[in-house]
C-alpha cells in the first residue's frame, strides 16, 4: 500500500528545509504521496512539484490555513488545490499581511514583559520574507536563553494567557473551506486534538466544520495519542467525514514524528485520498 504523508512545512513558512529538500527527505523515508502544506502560503509548491517529478513521488499541492472559530485558532489543511487559483492566493496574501502586523504586536508584548529585541531576533530566523510565524519567535527565544526547548517557549511565552501572546483574528472557518473548494481542493481539519475545547465543544467544532463543507479530519498526527486516533476516527465515521494523516514535519530535530513515519489509519474510516 502507498505511504501517505499529507502535512509538512518548508522554508516557505516555518520549516527548516527548502521544498526540494523536504521532498528528497520524504522520498528517502519511503513516502509515496506527499503534501507540502506551508502555513497560509503556496509559494513553495512549484519547487516541490518539480522535485517530486524528478524523484518519482507524487506531490499533492497543499497549504495549512489559519482560521478562527469561537475565538480559538483552528488550522485547516488544504489538499489538492490549484496553486494558481486567485481566490485562494489573494486570501492567503491577506492572512500573511495580518501575520506581519501580529509579529509587531508579539514583539511589543514581549518587550513589555522585559524581553527586548524579539522582532529583530525573530526576523533572523525568518526564511521567507513573505511569512513570519510564532515559530520564528520561538527559535529566537531559545537562542536568547529564555527557554531550553521550543515547546517550553510556547508554554511559557507564546500561548493564550502568557506574556508574549496577542489575540489575533484569522479567517473565518467557513470562509477558508470555501476558498479551498474554489481552488478545487479538499479541506481537512488539522490536528483537532490540539484545540482547547471540551467534549461538547469538539462535537460542535467538528459538526460546524462538516456543515461548512469540510471534507476530512486529520486523524493520525503526532499531536494525537493512540487513543485519540480512535476517537477522531469515530468522529469521522459519525459525521461522514474522511480521514487524513500527516507528520506536520518542520525540520530535523524539531519534530517528534519523522516524515512518513505514520501509523496506518484506523480501520473503518474512508481515507481522504479514496478518489485520487
Ligand atoms: P503561528 O501560525 O504563527 O501562530 O504559529 C504556529 C506554529 O507554531 C505551529 O504551526 C507550530 O509550528 C508552532 N507551535 C505551536 N505550538 C507549539 C509547541 N507547543 N511546540 C513547538 N511548536 C509549536
Ligand atoms: Mn508550523
Ligand atoms: Mn497546525
Ligand atoms: Mn502544520
Amino acid at each position: 500500500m502507498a505511504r501517505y504523508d499529507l502535512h509538512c512545512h518548508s522554508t516557505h513558512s516555518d520549516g527548516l528545509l527548502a521544498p526540494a529538500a523536504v521532498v528528497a527527505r520524504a522520498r528517502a523515508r519511503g513516502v509515496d504521496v506527499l503534501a507540502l502544506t506551508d502555513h497560509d502560503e503556496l509559494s513553495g509548491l512549484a519547487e516541490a512539484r518539480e522535485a517530486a517529478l524528478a524523484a518519482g513521488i507524487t506531490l499533492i499541492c497543499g497549504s495549512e490555513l489559519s482560521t478562527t472559530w469561537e475565538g480559538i485558532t483552528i488550522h485547516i489543511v488544504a489538499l489538492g488545490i490549484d496553486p494558481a487559483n486567485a481566490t485562494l492566493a489573494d486570501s492567503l496574501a491577506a492572512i500573511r499581511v495580518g501575520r506581519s502586523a501580529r509579529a509587531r504586536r508579539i514583539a511589543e508584548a514581549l518587550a513589555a514583559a522585559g524581553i527586548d529585541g524579539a522582532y529583530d531576533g525573530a526576523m533572523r530566523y525568518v526564511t521567507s520574507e513573505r511569512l513570519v510565524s510564532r515559530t520564528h519567535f520561538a527559535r529566537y527565544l531559545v537562542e536568547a536563553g529564555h527557554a531550553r526547548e521550543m515547546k517550553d517557549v510556547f508554554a511559557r511565552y507564546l500561548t493564550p494567557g502568557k506574556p508574549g501572546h496577542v489575540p489575533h483574528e484569522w479567517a473565518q472557518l467557513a470562509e477558508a473551506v470555501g476558498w479551498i473548494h474554489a481552488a478545487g481542493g479538499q479541506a481537512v481539519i488539522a490536528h483537532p486534538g490540539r484545540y482547547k475545547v471540551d467534549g461538547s465543544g469538539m462535537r460542535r467544532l467538528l459538526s460546524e466544520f462538516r456543515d461548512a463543507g469540510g471534507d476530512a479530519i486529520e486523524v493520525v498526527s503526532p499531536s494525537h495519542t493512540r487513543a485519540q486516533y480512535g476517537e477522531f476516527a469515530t468522529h469521522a465515521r459519525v459525521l461522514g467525514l474522511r480521514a487524513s494523516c500527516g507528520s506536520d514535519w518542520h525540520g530535523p530535530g524539531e519534530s517528534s514524528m519523522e516524515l512518513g513515519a505514520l501509523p496506518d489509519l484506523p480501520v473503518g474510516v474512508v481515507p481522504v485520498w479514496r478518489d485520487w
Side-chain angles (χ1 to χ4, degrees):
M1 218 182 75
R3 186 175 297 193
Y4 290 81
D5 189 334
L6 302 177
H7 184 162
C8 69
H9 299 273
S10 78
T11 47
H12 286 250
S13 64
D14 60 351
L16 294 172
L17 299 187
V22 174
V23 169
R25 190 176 178 108
R27 163 109 165 84
R29 308 279 153 160
V31 174
D32 300 297
V33 183
L34 178 75
L36 179 65
T37 56
D38 277 313
H39 296 283
D40 307 314
E41 182 57 291
L42 307 169
S43 62
L45 294 171
E47 178 183 320
R49 203 147 54 169
E50 200 175 313
L53 198 63
I57 72 173
T58 301
L59 191 276
I60 301 297
C61 287
S63 183
E64 183 176 14
L65 280 63
S66 307
T67 77
T68 300
W69 174 83
E70 293 192 0
I72 63 173
T73 297
I74 304 291
H75 287 173
I76 305 294
V77 164
L79 297 177
I81 42 93
D82 170 11
N85 181 270
T87 301
L88 180 61
D90 294 351
S91 304
L92 296 185
I95 297 179
R96 293 195 301 272
V97 170
R99 282 184 167 277
S100 299
R102 181 185 68 148
R104 295 278 180 191
R105 291 188 286 125
I106 291 174
E108 284 162 17
L110 288 169
I115 298 176
D116 289 317
Y119 186 82
D120 290 343
M123 287 304 138
R124 284 198 279 108
Y125 285 90
V126 162
T127 47
S128 160
E129 61 186 17
R130 292 157 57 103
L131 192 129
V132 55
S133 112
R134 281 184 298 161
T135 309
H136 303 116
F137 281 91
R139 291 186 183 129
Y140 167 70
L141 291 172
V142 170
E143 175 207 297
H146 296 286
R148 265 196 327 162
E149 282 188 73
M150 295 284 282
K151 68 171 178 0
D152 301 331
V153 190
F154 279 91
R156 276 187 225 158
Y157 294 102
L158 299 177
T159 42
K162 299 301 155 61
H165 184 265
V166 298
H168 188 73
E169 192 72 25
W170 303 102
Q172 294 299 304
L173 183 68
E175 201 175 29
V177 172
W179 299 332
I180 293 166
H181 287 167
Q186 288 166 289
V188 183
I189 187 161
H191 44 60
R194 271 170 67 160
Y195 307 131
K196 303 271 179 284
V197 293
D198 61 13
S200 71
M202 183 59 74
R203 285 191 293 278
R204 203 164 62 246
L205 168 61
L206 295 177
S207 57
E208 281 188 30
F209 172 70
R210 193 270 315 268
D211 293 345
D215 299 282
I217 297 177
E218 191 174 71
V219 169
V220 173
S221 158
S223 298
H224 294 166
T225 61
R226 292 197 70 82
Q228 283 176 314
Y229 299 161
E231 286 170 33
F232 289 113
T234 300
H235 280 296
R237 280 199 308 269
V238 168
L239 290 164
L241 291 165
R242 296 187 177 197
S244 188
C245 63
S247 64
D248 203 0
W249 194 78
H250 281 73
E254 256 194 32
S255 293
S256 59
M257 189 183 274
E258 184 51 67
L259 278 168
L262 295 152
D264 290 342
L265 288 177
V267 292
V269 295
V270 179
V272 68
W273 56 81
R274 191 179 67 179
D275 301 320
W276 291 0

